[in-house]
Amino acid sequence: MPAFNFPGLKPGDRWCLCALRWKEAQEAGVAPPVVLAATHASTLEYVSLDELKQHAFEN
């Protein structure tokens, strides 16, 4: 967004995604990788730990 001097995301960038949008993407087969250590425990109200582990980002 030029108005905010933000050129957009590029490969390798990380961003926050709410649990419900992540679940929606997972159900559509396009869930992004998850950094488990940066994921809030309340996410488990919407998504199981096993589901998150299946998409865990490995450094």
Side-chain angles (χ1 to χ4, degrees):
M1 298 212 50
F4 299 107
N5 293 321
F6 179 67
L9 297 171
K10 57 189 178 300
D13 285 349
R14 294 183 182 175
W15 67 96
C16 181
L17 183 63
C18 74
L20 291 176
R21 295 294 75 81
W22 188 90
K23 180 71 173 170
E24 182 178 24
Q26 188 237 10
E27 290 172 353
V30 292
V34 175
V35 178
L36 294 175
T39 302
H40 195 276
S42 65
T43 302
L44 299 174
E45 296 175 24
Y46 307 98
V47 182
S48 75
L49 183 56
D50 286 337
E51 289 173 305
L52 292 172
K53 285 181 176 180
Q54 290 175 12
H55 297 279
F57 177 77
E58 300 292 331
N59 279 342

